Amino acid sequence: MSELYLHNTLTRQKEKFEPIDRSNVRMYVCGPTVYDFAHLGNARPVVVFDVLFRLLQRLYGQDHVTYVRNITDIDDKIIARSKESGESIADLTKRTAQAFHEDMGALNALPPTIEPRATEYIDAMIAMIATLVEKGHAYAADGHVLFNVPSMKDYGQLSRLPHKELVAGARVDIAPYKKDAADFVLWKPSTPDQPGWDSPWGRGRPGWHIECSAMGEKNLGETFDIHGGGLDLIFPHHENEIAQSRCAHGGAPLARYWVHNGFLTVNADKMSKSLGNFFTVRDLLVHAPGEALRLALLMGHYRQPLDFSLESLQNAKAKLDRWYNALYEADKITSETKTVLSNDECKRALCDDLNTPSAIAYIDQLVNQLNAAFLFEEPENPAFKIGCPNNYPANPANIATFKAKILSAGMALGLLQHPPEAWRKWQPAGQSGPTDAEIEQQIEARLAARKAKDYAESDRIRDALAAQGVILEDGPGGTTWRRS
Ligand code: AMP
Ligand code: ZN
């Protein structure tokens, strides 16, 4: 079995991954705050950790991985948006969570094993806060409960920030009732018009960090294997999750491996709502299929910044077109699909800290080989002997092998999940071009024209379709078509 290596933010090193329990590998990734559509930057962690989820399932078995990704459905941004728009919080969070599922589904992200919603875990949050108060790590002040940072001797190990910056980070909500400037909120009071729950400290609502600590504990236990999210979550969110959970659990580590994806950028700036330089997944899906978005996100290594542009999206689409066209041709030669191969270059690349660019290069190479293989179907073809190394494929069985390797690597990356035929016919939503049925009809008309030897008419039909982005391909089996 290949060994998995992951970069651990906690140690700043690439480390061999050793699960606590091989029969139940446990991963928690911070999910969306549901008040608006997800932008492509938000989709980056979803896609990256989906690749890791698929890899863990492949290494440890489908039923031996528990992947938890929460939904934050109580947050000040949600309250503010609801107030602004007049849409109730319940409707807003329900609608946005549903849109998130649709968008991430279009990117071929598998649903996590468990998707806890913060509002369903308020009791667990209150219990954890009470424990922290009891143990002297938290205090109530002015309707709030705060975590007392100096009470934890080794606070700050994940972010390794100097005290000055810890304070600057916590200063976002500076308040007179804080004992230490770095203290952060566990519980805050709600006004009558704000959502709230009864607690030992009055009616209020949880702070953001405690939500993940409680949902992690309830679904994965005190210590689990992997905790993930975007780079911006290291401080304060993950640092504070660690503080809360470890202090509540007698010092037990929260997670053994901390994995963080880099930013998706636009002209080198982080894609974000606040900068306004974002593309929602929803909008992009009008211009490109979800797999093209997904591939665009996987073209760079997950820890590096990745600059996004419509051009990079076009490149991803063109690459997939090439891959699907090769599979389409292979399907004509063999309908066989071999079983998924267990050990290949793709798996090796992904086991090396999720090296997706290398896995993509491997698929490219397989597609090159497959394309070359079509030329050499006959072993007695002299070109076979001249142009090919000894192990060169030359027959349908070999083509089937390439196809299986490509599909297996595609599966590992969550790509090539559509029938090639359907991919070739994809068109942007709202496009005014001819429908599939209209195209089929024109192909019939062209055939009739050719039979009647009216070549001018048959050419006219072909050119008219080409002008509308529909390419006809004549072959021994008849005419097929694809959208360009
Ligand atoms: P937010 O809704 O801002 O809490 O973000 C949800 C998730 O998306 C978190 O894991 C963030 O780290 C991640 N994220 C937000 N913006 C970006 C970006 N531009 N690139 C990569 N990840 C991002
Ligand atoms: Zn979280």
Side-chain angles (χ1 to χ4, degrees), residues 38 43 46 71 132 142 148 154 172 193 203 212 217 230 260 284 318 340 353 374 377 386 410 426 449 474:
V46 174
I71 286 190
L132 290 169
D142 210 12
N148 185 223
D154 52 357
V172 187
D193 61 325
R203 186 177 169 278
C212 285
E217 178 200 68
H260 292 100
L284 289 170
V340 169
D353 197 26
F374 295 130
E377 265 171 68
I386 299 163
W426 183 87
D474 294 321

Side-chain angles (χ1 to χ4, degrees), residues 419-460:
E421 173 99 39
W423 177 270
R424 285 158 53 91
K425 293 179 176 173
W426 183 87
Q427 69 172 339
Q431 187 94 335
S432 56
T435 62
D436 292 8
E438 283 162 356
I439 295 167
E440 305 286 354
Q441 213 174 25
Q442 287 301 299
I443 290 174
E444 287 299 316
R446 177 169 170 260
L447 193 66
R450 284 171 102 181
K451 275 199 180 130
K453 300 206 170 3
D454 186 352
Y455 296 114
E457 174 62 2
S458 91
D459 286 352
R460 187 199 64 74

Side-chain angles (χ1 to χ4, degrees), residues 310-420:
L310 292 178
E311 198 189 343
S312 66
L313 183 56
Q314 267 167 11
N315 290 342
K317 166 77 165 56
K319 195 184 273 300
L320 281 162
D321 285 345
R322 203 173 83 81
W323 293 356
Y324 272 113
N325 281 334
L327 291 172
Y328 178 76
E329 295 301 326
D331 281 348
K332 286 189 202 162
I333 292 170
T334 169
S335 58
E336 194 188 331
T337 36
K338 291 204 169 172
T339 47
V340 169
L341 296 141
S342 62
N343 229 322
D344 61 19
E345 291 289 329
C346 175
K347 189 172 161 191
R348 266 194 287 280
L350 295 180
C351 280
D352 180 16
D353 197 26
L354 301 184
N355 191 341
T356 55
S358 168
I360 291 165
Y362 170 65
I363 300 184
D364 262 335
Q365 192 190 327
L366 288 173
V367 168
N368 289 345
Q369 289 175 320
L370 174 58
N371 281 336
F374 295 130
L375 303 175
F376 304 113
E377 265 171 68
E378 298 300 325
E380 51 274 35
N381 181 338
F384 177 72
K385 297 205 175 82
I386 299 163
C388 311
N390 291 337
N391 61 350
Y392 218 84
N395 57 42
N398 284 339
I399 286 179
T401 303
F402 274 128
K403 200 167 100 175
K405 284 186 178 184
I406 292 168
L407 289 173
S408 160
M411 174 105 79
L413 292 173
L415 296 169
L416 299 174
Q417 307 290 291
H418 300 282

Side-chain angles (χ1 to χ4, degrees), residues 148-167:
N148 185 223
V149 169
S151 77
M152 184 188 190
K153 291 287 159 282
D154 52 357
Y155 178 88
Q157 282 187 333
L158 183 71
S159 59
R160 300 187 184 177
L161 290 174
H163 186 75
K164 212 171 76 191
E165 285 179 45
L166 294 180
V167 170

Side-chain angles (χ1 to χ4, degrees), residues 39 41-42 44-45 229-230 232-233 261-264 270-271:
H39 60 63
N42 301 134
R44 191 174 189 197
D232 50 343
L233 300 187
N261 64 271
F263 292 141
L264 188 74
K270 179 189 173 195
M271 183 183 283

